[in-house]
Amino acid sequence: AGGGIEAVVGGMRRHEGHEGVQEEGCAALANLSVNNAENKVKVAAGGGIEAVVGGMRRHEGHEVVQEQGCRALANLSANDENRVKVAAGGGIEAVVGGMRRHEGHEGVQEEGCAALANLSVNNAENKV
């Protein structure tokens, strides 16, 4: 992705307290990893999973950060190795927490369900 993944993750790390950076960073990582097996691996290797989960944890009350974070984790979890990394990095808890806190937000619920669906495919340990 021509350095885009590194730029996004770096921006999310440098501006972890800024909701807008976290929201757009999660959206960018979601877009970069959708239907792109190579980018799914690159995002994970570049710290993208940790950046997304961290953003979701720091901005628990921000619906769109939660929605975009769930979307990013859903896309990244369409990879066997990433499923394990997302679970180990607290991604399941972040998704479930976001869904519980924003139960009236359709986008969070939809993307959260997608994330949990992908996380549970071919992975008995991730089935809750």
Side-chain angles (χ1 to χ4, degrees):
I5 293 167
E6 295 82 5
V8 171
V9 171
M12 291 177 75
R13 287 179 178 155
R14 281 188 298 282
H15 302 285
E16 60 187 23
H18 192 280
E19 290 174 346
V21 172
Q22 299 306 307
E23 175 186 327
E24 296 300 337
C26 287
L29 294 176
N31 290 344
L32 287 164
S33 61
V34 70
N35 300 322
N36 189 316
E38 185 179 340
N39 276 354
K40 285 178 187 12
V41 173
K42 288 181 179 179
V43 169
I49 293 170
E50 296 84 355
V52 170
V53 172
M56 291 178 73
R57 285 181 176 155
R58 278 184 289 284
H59 301 283
E60 293 176 339
H62 192 277
E63 293 172 335
V64 185
V65 171
Q66 298 302 307
E67 179 180 2
Q68 294 303 322
C70 286
R71 188 166 74 92
L73 294 177
N75 292 347
L76 290 165
S77 295
N79 170 289
D80 291 339
E81 291 180 17
N82 285 356
R83 279 187 203 103
V84 174
K85 291 177 183 178
V86 169
I92 294 172
E93 294 83 0
V95 170
V96 171
M99 292 177 74
R100 286 185 175 150
R101 277 185 294 285
H102 303 286
E103 59 187 27
H105 191 278
E106 292 174 358
V108 174
Q109 297 305 307
E110 179 179 358
E111 299 299 345
C113 286
L116 294 174
N118 284 350
L119 282 161
S120 64
V121 171
N122 298 324
N123 192 321
E125 290 182 24
N126 287 355
K127 293 182 181 182
V128 281

